[in-house]
Amino acid sequence: MFLKNVLLSSILASGLILFSPLQAEEAPLSYDAYLSELKQQAVEQGISQSTIDKVFEQIKLFKKAVVNQSADTPPQNLDAYLPSRVSETLVEQARGLYRDNKALFDRLGKEFEVQPRFVLAYWGITSAFDASDYPALTVIASNTYHQEMSDGDQIFIAALKLMERDGLSFDDLKSDASGLMGYPHFTPAQLKQYGRDGNGDGKVDIWHDLADAFATTANYLKQLGWDYDGTWGRQVRAPEALPQDLVGFEVHKGFAQWQVLGVRRFDGSDLPSRKDMQVSLIMPDGVGGRSYLVYDNYRVLRKTQASDRLTLAVTYLSERIKYPEIK
């Protein structure tokens, strides 16, 4: 005990303080330090020094408003969710945008082989026709720093590469508060891959130019497998006794097979007689809820949305754009 006290006294007298690994905590990285690391990554990825100098001097810490998310909780079933998600205001916006640009959208729809109503419905659900106006690089860097984007560093570098390829300035890249850009709410990588010039001016502007935004979105859907001659599916009636292992994307059957199983159009009439399609039955709300036979184009849309609810909101809006016909 005496020896232990002597050692302790010697340590204290020397001014040495020992910490265990658990006691030593690293100070959190400052935003400026994070930007320095991000700048080094940009150098290593081949971004020019002139781009780096222009970009990083303009990046600030993005402060977004805290939004009460409780009001965004969707209703419990599709009967309530769809008219809530696809408001009459949204329908009128979509139809008005189509009406005002019908010749342009119809031409581009044929060129890129995607019906205009689906492009507009995609915009309506994905972005509510809001191209957003935040500085994208500031948003991406800030969200990554706050650990809200797991792959934010790569997204930021992709944005820099997009700027250099297309001759864009810092102010050209605008996004929403999550870093998604333009009418289709694309990531920089998506814009780089699917971006198309819809008006022949040599630029791809998905923020202000409807032709470019349409062409880019249509090209995206087409590359995912869109069938220009097909539609998305239809709401149907299915017997409650239908085995649930037949429900889901994994099951593909012809209309005649679904007919034998008791599935009918929503109005009770027979299913289409086509023999060239294999379709799936989905019941997002389970037995007793809405039932749909969905086709390949629905599968394409489902790749772009986080849930069947959102995908069905796109299809619902597309039907509201289609009927009554806009001439």
Side-chain angles (χ1 to χ4, degrees), residues 111-126:
E111 179 180 344
F112 288 92
E113 299 187 320
V114 178
Q115 303 93 317
R117 66 187 177 105
F118 289 104
V119 172
L120 291 170
Y122 178 91
W123 289 354
I125 299 305
T126 303

Side-chain angles (χ1 to χ4, degrees), residues 48-257:
S48 70
Q49 190 62 48
S50 61
T51 297
I52 291 173
D53 291 341
K54 292 175 184 177
V55 164
F56 280 88
E57 68 178 10
Q58 300 181 75
I59 295 178
K60 311 297 181 185
L61 185 62
F62 178 65
K63 299 178 181 179
K64 59 185 176 182
V66 177
V67 179
N68 183 0
Q69 298 292 336
S70 60
D72 296 332
T73 302
Q76 291 301 306
N77 59 63
L78 285 166
D79 286 337
Y81 173 73
L82 290 176
S84 172
R85 187 65 179 78
V86 184
S87 66
E88 291 302 314
T89 299
L90 190 65
V91 171
E92 287 306 310
Q93 281 183 282
R95 290 180 60 82
L97 194 58
Y98 189 21
R99 186 184 303 110
D100 294 343
N101 300 276
K102 191 172 188 302
L104 172 65
F105 290 165
D106 285 349
R107 175 180 66 79
L108 290 172
K110 290 179 180 178
E111 179 180 344
F112 288 92
E113 299 187 320
V114 178
Q115 303 93 317
R117 66 187 177 105
F118 289 104
V119 172
L120 291 170
Y122 178 91
W123 289 354
I125 299 305
T126 303
S127 70
F129 305 110
D130 180 9
S132 298
D133 200 34
Y134 297 118
L137 291 170
T138 288
V139 170
I140 295 168
S142 299
N143 287 351
T144 306
Y145 175 70
H146 289 305
Q147 300 182 342
E148 296 177 8
M149 298 178 72
S150 59
D151 53 352
D153 289 357
Q154 293 88 342
I155 294 173
F156 186 92
I157 300 300
L160 294 182
K161 291 180 177 179
L162 180 69
M163 288 178 63
E164 293 200 327
R165 188 195 73 172
D166 294 350
L168 301 172
S169 70
F170 180 89
D171 291 332
D172 288 331
L173 284 180
K174 301 294 186 181
S175 75
D176 68 355
S178 65
L180 298 175
M181 305 185 302
Y183 283 95
H185 273 202
F186 273 6
T187 66
Q190 285 177 310
L191 180 55
K192 183 179 179 182
Q193 180 175 356
Y194 300 109
R196 292 294 182 272
D197 176 10
N199 62 3
D201 66 355
K203 300 178 181 179
V204 178
D205 181 355
I206 63 172
W207 299 270
H208 309 101
D209 194 309
L210 289 174
D212 290 356
F214 187 102
T216 296
T217 309
N219 180 55
Y220 172 53
L221 295 176
K222 185 64 179 178
Q223 295 305 316
L224 289 179
W226 192 265
D227 176 13
Y228 184 57
D229 296 320
T231 186
W232 65 272
R234 64 175 67 244
Q235 188 177 358
V236 296
R237 295 188 182 279
E240 292 187 5
L242 187 76
Q244 287 301 292
D245 59 1
L246 297 178
V247 177
F249 277 159
E250 299 78 12
V251 179
H252 298 75
K253 293 183 179 297
F255 287 116
Q257 293 173 292

